[in-house]
Amino acid sequence: EVQLVESGGGLVQPGGSLRLSCAASGFTFGTYWMSWVRQAPGKGLEWVANIRQGGSEKYYVDSVKGRFTISRDNAKNSLYLQMNSLRAEDTAVYYCASGANFDNWGQGTLVTVSS
Amino acid sequence: QSVLTQPPSASGTPGQRVTISCSGSSSNIGSNTVNWYQQLPGTAPKLLIYNNNQRPSGVPDRFSGSKSGTSASLAISGLQSEDEADYYCATWDDSLNGWVFGGGTKLTVL
């Protein structure tokens, strides 16, 4: 059974940093695209970033370019999102998703950016 | 303002057939396949339809997808109370070089 478990969310002040992690199990992690998708409170889904199997290709939504970095450790079956220079508008539940079509999703971790 | 346009709400009675539309442009739906996601209240999204009209295993055949030009549709037949959820379309956008989602459609089963 595919399992994706996010962690690392919390309350952070504007301008601060946070690192999200996603622990994967139940599938061959290193053979799948992985993504981060977020959902602001009461709002719709927004794709944030994705990373190719080996980590050679990474894509980001414009609003996080230069501030967020997606990475993965295939030996640890883990996906990461380093978030710097956080803004109030980054407040959201962050989901990790596996596969080219966001085939499976974790339960999400809440990031709140507020002073 | 979402790149893909969906109606904010839809409704139907049990047993009815409802459709949800998703409108885009030549750089997204017109060039790439469309996926649909179902988000039940308080839960994570779930892949419902991929590659325009393919169902992952476990998804009932009451759910179907189609695409024509720069628009796509999700159809739900034999509507059930447990179908009450938010539905999102998504695809890759060649101009933005990223994934784009529709704004979501809240389906109410009357």
Side-chain angles (χ1 to χ4, degrees):
Chain A
E1 179 198 0
V2 173
Q3 273 207 315
L4 299 167
V5 180
E6 301 92 338
S7 60
L11 175 64
V12 61
Q13 291 189 336
S17 298
L18 217 51
R19 189 195 196 206
L20 305 183
S21 299
C22 172
S25 61
F27 65 104
T28 310
F29 178 78
T31 64
Y32 286 84
W33 278 86
M34 294 295 296
S35 305
W36 288 99
V37 178
R38 67 184 178 184
Q39 186 169 34
K43 302 296 184 182
L45 301 174
E46 179 184 39
W47 168 79
V48 174
N50 62 355
I51 184 168
R52 198 178 181 84
Q53 289 89 331
S56 59
E57 277 182 67
K58 304 175 185 181
Y59 300 93
Y60 300 89
V61 68
D62 281 350
S63 60
V64 309
K65 282 179 183 174
R67 301 189 299 124
F68 290 12
T69 302
I70 189 172
S71 62
R72 64 191 297 164
D73 186 335
N74 289 343
K76 294 183 177 180
N77 290 343
S78 293
L79 175 72
Y80 307 101
L81 186 67
Q82 177 66 44
M83 304 186 295
N84 299 329
S85 302
L86 282 161
R87 306 167 180 166
E89 54 265 35
D90 295 318
T91 294
V93 173
Y94 285 72
Y95 297 101
C96 78
S98 65
N101 294 306
F102 311 142
D103 305 67
N104 294 283
W105 299 62
Q107 84 291 346
T109 186
L110 176 62
V111 172
T112 303
V113 183
S114 174
S115 54
Chain B
Q1 202 83 344
S2 301
V3 173
L4 304 180
T5 302
Q6 295 180 236
S9 63
S11 63
T13 57
Q16 259 190 336
R17 182 178 187 269
V18 297
T19 61
I20 297 172
S21 62
C22 176
S23 177
S25 66
S26 58
S27 65
N28 43 65
I29 294 180
S31 310
N32 299 288
T33 59
V34 177
N35 301 332
W36 290 90
Y37 303 87
Q38 176 193 57
Q39 187 174 31
L40 296 170
T43 70
K46 166 192 165 185
L47 179 63
L48 199 62
I49 297 287
Y50 67 98
N51 291 356
N52 301 329
N53 55 20
Q54 301 299 302
R55 283 185 308 277
S57 61
V59 173
D61 58 8
R62 302 187 296 105
F63 294 90
S64 62
S66 64
K67 183 186 113 168
S68 178
T70 59
S71 294
S73 291
L74 172 70
I76 309 172
S77 60
L79 199 61
Q80 299 179 5
S81 58
E82 54 260 43
D83 298 334
E84 196 159 278
D86 293 325
Y87 293 86
Y88 296 89
C89 58
T91 187
W92 182 263
D93 190 296
D94 293 336
S95 295
L96 297 174
N97 224 20
W99 281 86
V100 290
F101 281 90
T105 298
K106 184 176 184 62
L107 175 64
T108 301
V109 180
L110 303 170

PDB file of all heavy atoms in Angstrom, chain A residues 37 39 43-45 47 50 59 95 100-103 105-106, chain B residues 35 37 39 43-45 47 50-51 88 92 97-99 101:
ATOM      1  N   VAL A  37       2.019  19.968  -3.638  1.00  0.00           N
ATOM      2  CA  VAL A  37       0.822  20.723  -3.993  1.00  0.00           C
ATOM      3  C   VAL A  37       0.287  21.326  -2.705  1.00  0.00           C
ATOM      4  O   VAL A  37       0.271  20.657  -1.671  1.00  0.00           O
ATOM      5  CB  VAL A  37      -0.251  19.814  -4.631  1.00  0.00           C
ATOM      6  CG1 VAL A  37      -1.526  20.618  -4.946  1.00  0.00           C
ATOM      7  CG2 VAL A  37       0.289  19.144  -5.893  1.00  0.00           C
ATOM      8  N   GLN A  39      -2.695  23.920  -0.531  1.00  0.00           N
ATOM      9  CA  GLN A  39      -4.084  24.372  -0.505  1.00  0.00           C
ATOM     10  C   GLN A  39      -4.245  25.370   0.634  1.00  0.00           C
ATOM     11  O   GLN A  39      -4.181  24.988   1.807  1.00  0.00           O
ATOM     12  CB  GLN A  39      -5.029  23.180  -0.321  1.00  0.00           C
ATOM     13  CG  GLN A  39      -6.494  23.531  -0.431  1.00  0.00           C
ATOM     14  CD  GLN A  39      -7.381  22.299  -0.501  1.00  0.00           C
ATOM     15  OE1 GLN A  39      -7.093  21.261   0.105  1.00  0.00           O
ATOM     16  NE2 GLN A  39      -8.466  22.389  -1.250  1.00  0.00           N
ATOM     17  N   LYS A  43      -9.436  27.428   0.122  1.00  0.00           N
ATOM     18  CA  LYS A  43      -9.162  27.692  -1.292  1.00  0.00           C
ATOM     19  C   LYS A  43      -8.912  26.395  -2.071  1.00  0.00           C
ATOM     20  O   LYS A  43      -8.975  25.294  -1.508  1.00  0.00           O
ATOM     21  CB  LYS A  43      -7.935  28.609  -1.429  1.00  0.00           C
ATOM     22  CG  LYS A  43      -8.081  29.933  -0.711  1.00  0.00           C
ATOM     23  CD  LYS A  43      -9.191  30.786  -1.283  1.00  0.00           C
ATOM     24  CE  LYS A  43      -9.253  32.133  -0.611  1.00  0.00           C
ATOM     25  NZ  LYS A  43     -10.392  32.973  -1.140  1.00  0.00           N
ATOM     26  N   GLY A  44      -8.606  26.542  -3.345  1.00  0.00           N
ATOM     27  CA  GLY A  44      -8.370  25.398  -4.206  1.00  0.00           C
ATOM     28  C   GLY A  44      -6.929  24.902  -4.155  1.00  0.00           C
ATOM     29  O   GLY A  44      -6.097  25.393  -3.400  1.00  0.00           O
ATOM     30  N   LEU A  45      -6.654  23.927  -5.005  1.00  0.00           N
ATOM     31  CA  LEU A  45      -5.334  23.327  -5.069  1.00  0.00           C
ATOM     32  C   LEU A  45      -4.390  24.155  -5.923  1.00  0.00           C
ATOM     33  O   LEU A  45      -4.802  24.712  -6.949  1.00  0.00           O
ATOM     34  CB  LEU A  45      -5.427  21.913  -5.657  1.00  0.00           C
ATOM     35  CG  LEU A  45      -6.327  20.934  -4.897  1.00  0.00           C
ATOM     36  CD1 LEU A  45      -6.455  19.620  -5.679  1.00  0.00           C
ATOM     37  CD2 LEU A  45      -5.783  20.680  -3.504  1.00  0.00           C
ATOM     38  N   TRP A  47      -0.408  23.706  -7.514  1.00  0.00           N
ATOM     39  CA  TRP A  47       0.841  22.975  -7.660  1.00  0.00           C
ATOM     40  C   TRP A  47       2.001  23.892  -7.275  1.00  0.00           C
ATOM     41  O   TRP A  47       2.019  25.070  -7.643  1.00  0.00           O
ATOM     42  CB  TRP A  47       0.986  22.508  -9.107  1.00  0.00           C
ATOM     43  CG  TRP A  47       2.342  22.000  -9.457  1.00  0.00           C
ATOM     44  CD1 TRP A  47       2.869  20.783  -9.184  1.00  0.00           C
ATOM     45  CD2 TRP A  47       3.352  22.707 -10.185  1.00  0.00           C
ATOM     46  NE1 TRP A  47       4.139  20.686  -9.680  1.00  0.00           N
ATOM     47  CE2 TRP A  47       4.461  21.855 -10.298  1.00  0.00           C
ATOM     48  CE3 TRP A  47       3.426  23.990 -10.751  1.00  0.00           C
ATOM     49  CZ2 TRP A  47       5.634  22.234 -10.955  1.00  0.00           C
ATOM     50  CZ3 TRP A  47       4.585  24.365 -11.393  1.00  0.00           C
ATOM     51  CH2 TRP A  47       5.684  23.497 -11.498  1.00  0.00           C
ATOM     52  N   ASN A  50       7.744  20.143  -8.691  1.00  0.00           N
ATOM     53  CA  ASN A  50       7.923  18.711  -8.869  1.00  0.00           C
ATOM     54  C   ASN A  50       9.353  18.411  -9.263  1.00  0.00           C
ATOM     55  O   ASN A  50      10.124  19.305  -9.649  1.00  0.00           O
ATOM     56  CB  ASN A  50       6.902  18.089  -9.816  1.00  0.00           C
ATOM     57  CG  ASN A  50       6.971  18.625 -11.228  1.00  0.00           C
ATOM     58  OD1 ASN A  50       7.733  19.547 -11.520  1.00  0.00           O
ATOM     59  ND2 ASN A  50       6.172  18.064 -12.118  1.00  0.00           N
ATOM     60  N   TYR A  59      10.804  21.684 -11.392  1.00  0.00           N
ATOM     61  CA  TYR A  59       9.954  22.766 -11.878  1.00  0.00           C
ATOM     62  C   TYR A  59       9.245  23.404 -10.689  1.00  0.00           C
ATOM     63  O   TYR A  59       8.916  22.719  -9.716  1.00  0.00           O
ATOM     64  CB  TYR A  59       8.936  22.244 -12.887  1.00  0.00           C
ATOM     65  CG  TYR A  59       9.559  21.614 -14.101  1.00  0.00           C
ATOM     66  CD1 TYR A  59       9.794  20.238 -14.154  1.00  0.00           C
ATOM     67  CD2 TYR A  59       9.918  22.384 -15.203  1.00  0.00           C
ATOM     68  CE1 TYR A  59      10.381  19.654 -15.269  1.00  0.00           C
ATOM     69  CE2 TYR A  59      10.508  21.808 -16.324  1.00  0.00           C
ATOM     70  CZ  TYR A  59      10.741  20.445 -16.348  1.00  0.00           C
ATOM     71  OH  TYR A  59      11.323  19.884 -17.454  1.00  0.00           O
ATOM     72  N   TYR A  95       0.729  19.236   0.530  1.00  0.00           N
ATOM     73  CA  TYR A  95       0.632  17.809   0.257  1.00  0.00           C
ATOM     74  C   TYR A  95       1.803  17.362  -0.606  1.00  0.00           C
ATOM     75  O   TYR A  95       2.195  18.078  -1.538  1.00  0.00           O
ATOM     76  CB  TYR A  95      -0.638  17.491  -0.519  1.00  0.00           C
ATOM     77  CG  TYR A  95      -1.946  17.777   0.170  1.00  0.00           C
ATOM     78  CD1 TYR A  95      -2.686  18.922  -0.136  1.00  0.00           C
ATOM     79  CD2 TYR A  95      -2.477  16.880   1.094  1.00  0.00           C
ATOM     80  CE1 TYR A  95      -3.905  19.175   0.479  1.00  0.00           C
ATOM     81  CE2 TYR A  95      -3.694  17.123   1.710  1.00  0.00           C
ATOM     82  CZ  TYR A  95      -4.395  18.271   1.393  1.00  0.00           C
ATOM     83  OH  TYR A  95      -5.617  18.507   1.994  1.00  0.00           O
ATOM     84  N   ALA A 100       3.445  10.749 -12.001  1.00  0.00           N
ATOM     85  CA  ALA A 100       3.357  11.811 -13.002  1.00  0.00           C
ATOM     86  C   ALA A 100       1.998  12.485 -13.014  1.00  0.00           C
ATOM     87  O   ALA A 100       1.859  13.614 -13.482  1.00  0.00           O
ATOM     88  CB  ALA A 100       3.662  11.229 -14.385  1.00  0.00           C
ATOM     89  N   ASN A 101       0.992  11.814 -12.511  1.00  0.00           N
ATOM     90  CA  ASN A 101      -0.369  12.359 -12.496  1.00  0.00           C
ATOM     91  C   ASN A 101      -0.869  12.631 -11.083  1.00  0.00           C
ATOM     92  O   ASN A 101      -2.076  12.684 -10.867  1.00  0.00           O
ATOM     93  CB  ASN A 101      -1.324  11.393 -13.193  1.00  0.00           C
ATOM     94  CG  ASN A 101      -1.037  11.263 -14.671  1.00  0.00           C
ATOM     95  OD1 ASN A 101      -0.984  12.259 -15.382  1.00  0.00           O
ATOM     96  ND2 ASN A 101      -0.814  10.047 -15.124  1.00  0.00           N
ATOM     97  N   PHE A 102       0.052  12.813 -10.134  1.00  0.00           N
ATOM     98  CA  PHE A 102      -0.326  12.979  -8.716  1.00  0.00           C
ATOM     99  C   PHE A 102      -1.217  11.792  -8.329  1.00  0.00           C
ATOM    100  O   PHE A 102      -2.324  11.961  -7.832  1.00  0.00           O
ATOM    101  CB  PHE A 102      -1.071  14.289  -8.471  1.00  0.00           C
ATOM    102  CG  PHE A 102      -0.418  15.511  -9.055  1.00  0.00           C
ATOM    103  CD1 PHE A 102      -1.192  16.511  -9.619  1.00  0.00           C
ATOM    104  CD2 PHE A 102       0.944  15.673  -9.050  1.00  0.00           C
ATOM    105  CE1 PHE A 102      -0.601  17.651 -10.167  1.00  0.00           C
ATOM    106  CE2 PHE A 102       1.548  16.798  -9.593  1.00  0.00           C
ATOM    107  CZ  PHE A 102       0.764  17.797 -10.163  1.00  0.00           C
ATOM    108  N   ASP A 103      -0.710  10.594  -8.585  1.00  0.00           N
ATOM    109  CA  ASP A 103      -1.497   9.393  -8.392  1.00  0.00           C
ATOM    110  C   ASP A 103      -1.891   9.146  -6.942  1.00  0.00           C
ATOM    111  O   ASP A 103      -2.986   8.674  -6.675  1.00  0.00           O
ATOM    112  CB  ASP A 103      -0.711   8.180  -8.901  1.00  0.00           C
ATOM    113  CG  ASP A 103      -0.264   8.343 -10.344  1.00  0.00           C
ATOM    114  OD1 ASP A 103       0.588   9.229 -10.605  1.00  0.00           O
ATOM    115  OD2 ASP A 103      -0.749   7.590 -11.211  1.00  0.00           O
ATOM    116  N   TRP A 105      -1.553  10.736  -2.736  1.00  0.00           N
ATOM    117  CA  TRP A 105      -1.339  11.929  -1.937  1.00  0.00           C
ATOM    118  C   TRP A 105      -1.151  11.577  -0.467  1.00  0.00           C
ATOM    119  O   TRP A 105      -1.735  10.617   0.032  1.00  0.00           O
ATOM    120  CB  TRP A 105      -2.550  12.861  -2.057  1.00  0.00           C
ATOM    121  CG  TRP A 105      -2.855  13.350  -3.429  1.00  0.00           C
ATOM    122  CD1 TRP A 105      -3.195  12.588  -4.530  1.00  0.00           C
ATOM    123  CD2 TRP A 105      -2.874  14.712  -3.870  1.00  0.00           C
ATOM    124  NE1 TRP A 105      -3.415  13.403  -5.607  1.00  0.00           N
ATOM    125  CE2 TRP A 105      -3.232  14.709  -5.244  1.00  0.00           C
ATOM    126  CE3 TRP A 105      -2.639  15.941  -3.244  1.00  0.00           C
ATOM    127  CZ2 TRP A 105      -3.347  15.888  -5.985  1.00  0.00           C
ATOM    128  CZ3 TRP A 105      -2.757  17.102  -3.982  1.00  0.00           C
ATOM    129  CH2 TRP A 105      -3.105  17.073  -5.337  1.00  0.00           C
ATOM    130  N   GLY A 106      -0.359  12.395   0.209  1.00  0.00           N
ATOM    131  CA  GLY A 106      -0.257  12.271   1.651  1.00  0.00           C
ATOM    132  C   GLY A 106      -1.415  12.994   2.320  1.00  0.00           C
ATOM    133  O   GLY A 106      -2.296  13.543   1.641  1.00  0.00           O
TER     134      GLY A 106
ATOM    135  N   ASN B  35      -6.289  15.569 -16.011  1.00  0.00           N
ATOM    136  CA  ASN B  35      -6.602  14.713 -14.859  1.00  0.00           C
ATOM    137  C   ASN B  35      -7.715  15.360 -14.036  1.00  0.00           C
ATOM    138  O   ASN B  35      -7.885  16.593 -14.061  1.00  0.00           O
ATOM    139  CB  ASN B  35      -5.380  14.542 -13.954  1.00  0.00           C
ATOM    140  CG  ASN B  35      -4.199  13.927 -14.675  1.00  0.00           C
ATOM    141  OD1 ASN B  35      -4.355  13.169 -15.627  1.00  0.00           O
ATOM    142  ND2 ASN B  35      -3.007  14.277 -14.206  1.00  0.00           N
ATOM    143  N   TYR B  37      -9.464  15.235  -9.999  1.00  0.00           N
ATOM    144  CA  TYR B  37      -9.253  14.842  -8.608  1.00  0.00           C
ATOM    145  C   TYR B  37     -10.530  15.091  -7.805  1.00  0.00           C
ATOM    146  O   TYR B  37     -11.233  16.079  -8.026  1.00  0.00           O
ATOM    147  CB  TYR B  37      -8.086  15.618  -7.996  1.00  0.00           C
ATOM    148  CG  TYR B  37      -6.817  15.437  -8.780  1.00  0.00           C
ATOM    149  CD1 TYR B  37      -6.532  16.259  -9.858  1.00  0.00           C
ATOM    150  CD2 TYR B  37      -5.937  14.394  -8.493  1.00  0.00           C
ATOM    151  CE1 TYR B  37      -5.406  16.063 -10.628  1.00  0.00           C
ATOM    152  CE2 TYR B  37      -4.800  14.195  -9.258  1.00  0.00           C
ATOM    153  CZ  TYR B  37      -4.552  15.025 -10.333  1.00  0.00           C
ATOM    154  OH  TYR B  37      -3.423  14.821 -11.096  1.00  0.00           O
ATOM    155  N   GLN B  39     -11.926  15.606  -3.912  1.00  0.00           N
ATOM    156  CA  GLN B  39     -11.528  15.885  -2.538  1.00  0.00           C
ATOM    157  C   GLN B  39     -12.772  15.855  -1.657  1.00  0.00           C
ATOM    158  O   GLN B  39     -13.586  16.793  -1.677  1.00  0.00           O
ATOM    159  CB  GLN B  39     -10.812  17.232  -2.411  1.00  0.00           C
ATOM    160  CG  GLN B  39     -10.243  17.464  -1.028  1.00  0.00           C
ATOM    161  CD  GLN B  39      -9.401  18.730  -0.932  1.00  0.00           C
ATOM    162  OE1 GLN B  39      -9.643  19.711  -1.627  1.00  0.00           O
ATOM    163  NE2 GLN B  39      -8.389  18.697  -0.068  1.00  0.00           N
ATOM    164  N   THR B  43     -10.489  15.791   3.705  1.00  0.00           N
ATOM    165  CA  THR B  43      -9.507  14.768   3.329  1.00  0.00           C
ATOM    166  C   THR B  43      -8.590  15.273   2.222  1.00  0.00           C
ATOM    167  O   THR B  43      -8.818  16.325   1.632  1.00  0.00           O
ATOM    168  CB  THR B  43     -10.201  13.483   2.839  1.00  0.00           C
ATOM    169  OG1 THR B  43     -10.819  13.727   1.573  1.00  0.00           O
ATOM    170  CG2 THR B  43     -11.250  12.999   3.831  1.00  0.00           C
ATOM    171  N   ALA B  44      -7.548  14.483   1.939  1.00  0.00           N
ATOM    172  CA  ALA B  44      -6.630  14.814   0.859  1.00  0.00           C
ATOM    173  C   ALA B  44      -7.280  14.506  -0.485  1.00  0.00           C
ATOM    174  O   ALA B  44      -8.169  13.660  -0.579  1.00  0.00           O
ATOM    175  CB  ALA B  44      -5.345  14.008   1.011  1.00  0.00           C
ATOM    176  N   PRO B  45      -6.855  15.180  -1.541  1.00  0.00           N
ATOM    177  CA  PRO B  45      -7.376  14.874  -2.875  1.00  0.00           C
ATOM    178  C   PRO B  45      -7.031  13.444  -3.276  1.00  0.00           C
ATOM    179  O   PRO B  45      -6.077  12.844  -2.770  1.00  0.00           O
ATOM    180  CB  PRO B  45      -6.651  15.882  -3.767  1.00  0.00           C
ATOM    181  CG  PRO B  45      -6.232  16.978  -2.862  1.00  0.00           C
ATOM    182  CD  PRO B  45      -5.912  16.307  -1.563  1.00  0.00           C
ATOM    183  N   LEU B  47      -6.834  10.938  -6.949  1.00  0.00           N
ATOM    184  CA  LEU B  47      -6.898  10.886  -8.413  1.00  0.00           C
ATOM    185  C   LEU B  47      -8.133  10.117  -8.844  1.00  0.00           C
ATOM    186  O   LEU B  47      -8.327   8.966  -8.452  1.00  0.00           O
ATOM    187  CB  LEU B  47      -5.634  10.222  -8.966  1.00  0.00           C
ATOM    188  CG  LEU B  47      -5.559  10.065 -10.479  1.00  0.00           C
ATOM    189  CD1 LEU B  47      -5.560  11.421 -11.180  1.00  0.00           C
ATOM    190  CD2 LEU B  47      -4.321   9.257 -10.877  1.00  0.00           C
ATOM    191  N   TYR B  50      -7.325  10.068 -15.111  1.00  0.00           N
ATOM    192  CA  TYR B  50      -6.055  10.546 -15.651  1.00  0.00           C
ATOM    193  C   TYR B  50      -6.031  10.338 -17.155  1.00  0.00           C
ATOM    194  O   TYR B  50      -6.813   9.549 -17.700  1.00  0.00           O
ATOM    195  CB  TYR B  50      -4.870   9.863 -14.959  1.00  0.00           C
ATOM    196  CG  TYR B  50      -4.741   8.372 -15.235  1.00  0.00           C
ATOM    197  CD1 TYR B  50      -3.856   7.908 -16.198  1.00  0.00           C
ATOM    198  CD2 TYR B  50      -5.505   7.446 -14.525  1.00  0.00           C
ATOM    199  CE1 TYR B  50      -3.729   6.559 -16.455  1.00  0.00           C
ATOM    200  CE2 TYR B  50      -5.393   6.092 -14.779  1.00  0.00           C
ATOM    201  CZ  TYR B  50      -4.494   5.648 -15.731  1.00  0.00           C
ATOM    202  OH  TYR B  50      -4.383   4.297 -15.995  1.00  0.00           O
ATOM    203  N   ASN B  51      -5.135  11.059 -17.814  1.00  0.00           N
ATOM    204  CA  ASN B  51      -5.024  10.969 -19.284  1.00  0.00           C
ATOM    205  C   ASN B  51      -6.387  11.113 -19.973  1.00  0.00           C
ATOM    206  O   ASN B  51      -6.745  10.323 -20.846  1.00  0.00           O
ATOM    207  CB  ASN B  51      -4.369   9.645 -19.687  1.00  0.00           C
ATOM    208  CG  ASN B  51      -2.907   9.575 -19.312  1.00  0.00           C
ATOM    209  OD1 ASN B  51      -2.339  10.553 -18.806  1.00  0.00           O
ATOM    210  ND2 ASN B  51      -2.296   8.444 -19.525  1.00  0.00           N
ATOM    211  N   TYR B  88     -11.543  18.820  -8.979  1.00  0.00           N
ATOM    212  CA  TYR B  88     -10.567  19.687  -9.618  1.00  0.00           C
ATOM    213  C   TYR B  88     -10.041  19.052 -10.900  1.00  0.00           C
ATOM    214  O   TYR B  88      -9.730  17.861 -10.914  1.00  0.00           O
ATOM    215  CB  TYR B  88      -9.369  19.932  -8.696  1.00  0.00           C
ATOM    216  CG  TYR B  88      -9.681  20.662  -7.416  1.00  0.00           C
ATOM    217  CD1 TYR B  88     -10.055  19.975  -6.270  1.00  0.00           C
ATOM    218  CD2 TYR B  88      -9.589  22.052  -7.352  1.00  0.00           C
ATOM    219  CE1 TYR B  88     -10.347  20.645  -5.088  1.00  0.00           C
ATOM    220  CE2 TYR B  88      -9.861  22.739  -6.171  1.00  0.00           C
ATOM    221  CZ  TYR B  88     -10.237  22.026  -5.050  1.00  0.00           C
ATOM    222  OH  TYR B  88     -10.510  22.700  -3.889  1.00  0.00           O
ATOM    223  N   TRP B  92      -0.785  20.006 -17.516  1.00  0.00           N
ATOM    224  CA  TRP B  92       0.480  20.718 -17.664  1.00  0.00           C
ATOM    225  C   TRP B  92       0.261  21.892 -18.607  1.00  0.00           C
ATOM    226  O   TRP B  92      -0.466  21.782 -19.583  1.00  0.00           O
ATOM    227  CB  TRP B  92       1.540  19.779 -18.221  1.00  0.00           C
ATOM    228  CG  TRP B  92       2.891  20.415 -18.374  1.00  0.00           C
ATOM    229  CD1 TRP B  92       3.429  20.952 -19.510  1.00  0.00           C
ATOM    230  CD2 TRP B  92       3.884  20.585 -17.364  1.00  0.00           C
ATOM    231  NE1 TRP B  92       4.674  21.449 -19.264  1.00  0.00           N
ATOM    232  CE2 TRP B  92       4.994  21.234 -17.960  1.00  0.00           C
ATOM    233  CE3 TRP B  92       3.961  20.252 -16.005  1.00  0.00           C
ATOM    234  CZ2 TRP B  92       6.151  21.543 -17.235  1.00  0.00           C
ATOM    235  CZ3 TRP B  92       5.100  20.560 -15.292  1.00  0.00           C
ATOM    236  CH2 TRP B  92       6.186  21.202 -15.905  1.00  0.00           C
ATOM    237  N   ASN B  97       5.223  26.294 -18.060  1.00  0.00           N
ATOM    238  CA  ASN B  97       6.156  25.224 -17.686  1.00  0.00           C
ATOM    239  C   ASN B  97       5.855  24.720 -16.277  1.00  0.00           C
ATOM    240  O   ASN B  97       6.748  24.575 -15.410  1.00  0.00           O
ATOM    241  CB  ASN B  97       7.601  25.724 -17.751  1.00  0.00           C
ATOM    242  CG  ASN B  97       8.516  24.726 -18.425  1.00  0.00           C
ATOM    243  OD1 ASN B  97       8.067  23.854 -19.160  1.00  0.00           O
ATOM    244  ND2 ASN B  97       9.802  24.852 -18.180  1.00  0.00           N
ATOM    245  N   GLY B  98       4.574  24.432 -16.071  1.00  0.00           N
ATOM    246  CA  GLY B  98       4.167  23.938 -14.765  1.00  0.00           C
ATOM    247  C   GLY B  98       2.750  23.390 -14.821  1.00  0.00           C
ATOM    248  O   GLY B  98       2.042  23.548 -15.819  1.00  0.00           O
ATOM    249  N   TRP B  99       2.356  22.739 -13.751  1.00  0.00           N
ATOM    250  CA  TRP B  99       1.003  22.216 -13.655  1.00  0.00           C
ATOM    251  C   TRP B  99       0.035  23.339 -13.269  1.00  0.00           C
ATOM    252  O   TRP B  99       0.377  24.240 -12.504  1.00  0.00           O
ATOM    253  CB  TRP B  99       0.939  21.125 -12.577  1.00  0.00           C
ATOM    254  CG  TRP B  99       1.467  19.816 -13.043  1.00  0.00           C
ATOM    255  CD1 TRP B  99       2.759  19.395 -13.038  1.00  0.00           C
ATOM    256  CD2 TRP B  99       0.698  18.735 -13.608  1.00  0.00           C
ATOM    257  NE1 TRP B  99       2.844  18.123 -13.550  1.00  0.00           N
ATOM    258  CE2 TRP B  99       1.597  17.699 -13.907  1.00  0.00           C
ATOM    259  CE3 TRP B  99      -0.663  18.553 -13.873  1.00  0.00           C
ATOM    260  CZ2 TRP B  99       1.178  16.487 -14.473  1.00  0.00           C
ATOM    261  CZ3 TRP B  99      -1.073  17.355 -14.423  1.00  0.00           C
ATOM    262  CH2 TRP B  99      -0.152  16.334 -14.723  1.00  0.00           C
ATOM    263  N   PHE B 101      -4.163  23.960 -12.054  1.00  0.00           N
ATOM    264  CA  PHE B 101      -5.414  23.377 -11.589  1.00  0.00           C
ATOM    265  C   PHE B 101      -6.572  24.321 -11.908  1.00  0.00           C
ATOM    266  O   PHE B 101      -6.389  25.543 -11.982  1.00  0.00           O
ATOM    267  CB  PHE B 101      -5.386  23.191 -10.069  1.00  0.00           C
ATOM    268  CG  PHE B 101      -4.614  21.991  -9.594  1.00  0.00           C
ATOM    269  CD1 PHE B 101      -3.260  22.082  -9.305  1.00  0.00           C
ATOM    270  CD2 PHE B 101      -5.255  20.768  -9.417  1.00  0.00           C
ATOM    271  CE1 PHE B 101      -2.548  20.973  -8.854  1.00  0.00           C
ATOM    272  CE2 PHE B 101      -4.556  19.666  -8.964  1.00  0.00           C
ATOM    273  CZ  PHE B 101      -3.202  19.766  -8.682  1.00  0.00           C
TER     274      PHE B 101
END
